[in-house]
Amino acid sequence: MEMIKALTLGAILSATIALVIGSQGVSAGPLAIHLVPVAEAKLYWSWPIFLSGSGLAWGIMLLQR
């Protein structure tokens, strides 16, 4: 259950940071922010932020047990 919560928090973190940085037209180097077209909407996404944010959230949730 903690992993599902961590993936959700990682997705929210990634979408928020990628939206702020990606909307300015910057890929932010190692963050690898790129534009993903979904239907007719623009979505900025970063896999490195998603994976590190999910891992961090999962670790914090395990420490709170």
Side-chain angles (χ1 to χ4, degrees), residues 27-29 36 46 50-53 57:
S27 67
V36 178
S46 172
F50 173 71
L51 294 175
S52 60

Side-chain angles (χ1 to χ4, degrees), residues 2-54:
E2 284 90 9
M3 187 55 119
I4 295 171
K5 291 178 189 176
L7 290 174
T8 304
L9 291 172
I12 292 170
L13 177 71
S14 179
T16 304
I17 292 175
L19 177 67
V20 170
I21 295 175
S23 64
Q24 297 175 7
V26 181
S27 67
L31 296 181
I33 296 172
H34 57 276
L35 180 65
V36 178
V38 177
E40 294 182 10
K42 294 180 185 177
L43 176 69
Y44 291 98
W45 189 253
S46 172
W47 284 107
I49 296 175
F50 173 71
L51 294 175
S52 60
S54 296

